[in-house]
Amino acid sequence: MTLDQFKYIYFLGIGGIGMSALARWFGVNGYDVAGYDKTPTALTTALQTEGMAIHFLEDVEQIPVSFRQNPSETLVIYTPAVPKTHQEYIYLTENGFTLQKRSQVLGLLAGQMKTVGVAGTHGKTTTSSMVAHILRHSGVNCAAFLGGITNNYGTNFLLNEPADDLRSVVCVVEADEFDRSFLTLFPNLAIVTSTDADHLDIYGAHEAVLESFAIFVSQIESDGTLFMKKGLALTDKTKATVQQYSLDEGDYYSQNLTIENAAFVFDLVYPDGVIDAIHLVVPGYHNVENAVAAGAVALKLGVSPEAIRSALNSYLGVRRRFEYVLKTDEAVLIDDYAHHPAEVKAFLQSVKALYPDRELTAIFQPHLFTRTRDFAEGFAESLSLADSVILLDIYPARELPIEGVTSELIFRDIRSKTKQRSTKDELLDVVRGMKPSLLVTIGAGDVDQMLPALKSVLKDQ
């Protein structure tokens, strides 16, 4: 299958962060794009302003007529989150349309360019956006398909400049292990940030997660390079050259790390030298480590040390990744997408390092019943780093409830000075009564919808 045989592109689940990036690529490259999603969001509104026909009712008649009349010229891209009982899915599968998962189409696109695949159970969104920003800031012709909205560009998609030879274009792809999607990629360069147990509702066991990552790195081109977090057991799984990185050791690492005016200042050590005095305004020890990996890839692609320093100094992060919502002398409110115990731990450790003299209050919304069941003990241990914890109910996302699985599984083992459970409806009153000077919201669900109201509460106290 080649993409040039299609004129129309229809998305089932167009509002997802990854799907919307693909929709934008097709839109700017001259295809007619339309799609369905369950609910309107800021992303779907943005796509509509770009001329895409999007509807939110499960209704075959709302698929544009030109698409329905030309099944051989229409490519349907769908997300696995769309159930097989969906009326439009049934219609499209039964009427001669070509259906492909997002990951399959992304693999086709990326395969035309020089691909940098950034994988890992956590850290991949920030790291891939750092790579993309360094390249764009440094004048390298690149495209990027990211899993979050970058604050530098206000989008999850960067379009490359036209090129006679697409192999001269660098394509940065966030390689998602969910549903084994990243196995459609055959990158030239790859980063693997972590291989912790996650998505066990898909994989069943950690061993299956590790097996999937082993397959991914085996697909790196033999003359390519794997930049691997030091300590991961992947060295013998790839034919590519392996270089290791971490916060403080490996082929690439940071040194002279200090915190100055809420920025992390460090030197990036690499095999041939040092990039000194990088000022990373997006804080966090984990983000310093992500920057080391991004810098390593950029060096491999020929970007100068000076350009890498300049780019990282101007990197503004990704929405919902260590994002300041309020920052005054009286109160600080930070939001983060962390939804795995290791992510929660890294985030809270960094917040405490930035504000050692403030009491830290954390609001956490667990994401998925299966993830809560599988990692309850780890979540409790990580959240115990906070002085006070407010624990919300589980955000179900794509799952149905599981008997006996509630946020109480986490709550009972939290060892913070104070802890309490709350519903979202009760949350503002709870926070108002606590009067925190340092408040963080954590989770991959919809807790971020509470941020404007929480900001108002903190400003008024």
Side-chain angles (χ1 to χ4, degrees), residues 182-308:
F182 62 171
L183 299 186
T184 63
L185 298 172
F186 295 80
N188 307 90
L189 305 175
I191 296 172
V192 177
T193 64
S194 50
T195 57
D196 293 335
D198 199 6
H199 301 302
L200 297 187
D201 55 322
I202 302 294
Y203 285 97
H206 189 196
E207 290 73 20
V209 178
L210 296 174
E211 179 184 350
S212 200
F213 274 95
I215 296 171
F216 171 71
V217 301
S218 76
Q219 296 178 174
I220 303 169
E221 293 188 1
S222 58
D223 61 348
T225 304
L226 166 61
F227 297 91
M228 181 185 76
K229 169 74 178 291
K230 186 173 176 61
L232 300 182
L234 296 172
T235 304
D236 62 343
K237 309 298 183 183
T238 181
K239 296 178 181 177
T241 300
V242 177
Q243 293 194 294
Q244 300 190 56
Y245 75 92
S246 76
L247 185 66
D248 52 13
E249 59 180 340
D251 301 301
Y252 301 81
Y253 59 93
S254 69
Q255 68 178 15
N256 300 325
L257 174 58
T258 59
I259 298 174
E260 300 176 12
N261 299 319
F264 280 61
V265 182
F266 64 98
D267 302 334
L268 195 166
V269 181
Y270 62 100
D272 298 322
V274 178
I275 306 175
D276 61 357
I278 296 171
H279 286 67
L280 193 65
V281 298
V282 178
Y285 295 109
H286 55 301
N287 284 328
V288 172
E289 191 171 75
N290 293 337
V292 169
V297 165
L299 286 165
K300 183 68 175 178
L301 290 170
V303 180
S304 72
E306 295 75 21
I308 291 171

Side-chain angles (χ1 to χ4, degrees), residues 1 3 11-12 18-19 22 26 75-80 99-111 115 145 173-186 219:
M1 187 189 83
L3 295 177
F11 286 83
L12 273 177
M19 293 280 275
L22 268 187
F26 281 105
L75 173 63
V76 178
I77 305 174
Y78 70 98
T79 169
L99 278 78
Q100 296 277 288
K101 291 182 180 179
R102 169 190 172 270
S103 57
Q104 294 171 304
V105 177
L106 186 56
L108 283 173
L109 289 180
T115 305
F145 296 88
V173 179
E174 180 172 331
D176 191 358
E177 77 281 358
F178 175 74
D179 198 35
R180 297 176 173 84
S181 295
F182 62 171
L183 299 186
T184 63
L185 298 172
F186 295 80
Q219 296 178 174

Side-chain angles (χ1 to χ4, degrees), residues 314-334:
S314 65
Y315 174 74
L316 300 178
V318 180
R319 291 180 193 171
R320 298 221 61 217
R321 271 71 171 184
F322 216 117
E323 183 175 12
Y324 279 96
V325 179
L326 177 67
K327 188 179 182 182
T328 68
D329 291 339
E330 293 75 28
V332 173
L333 173 59
I334 305 171

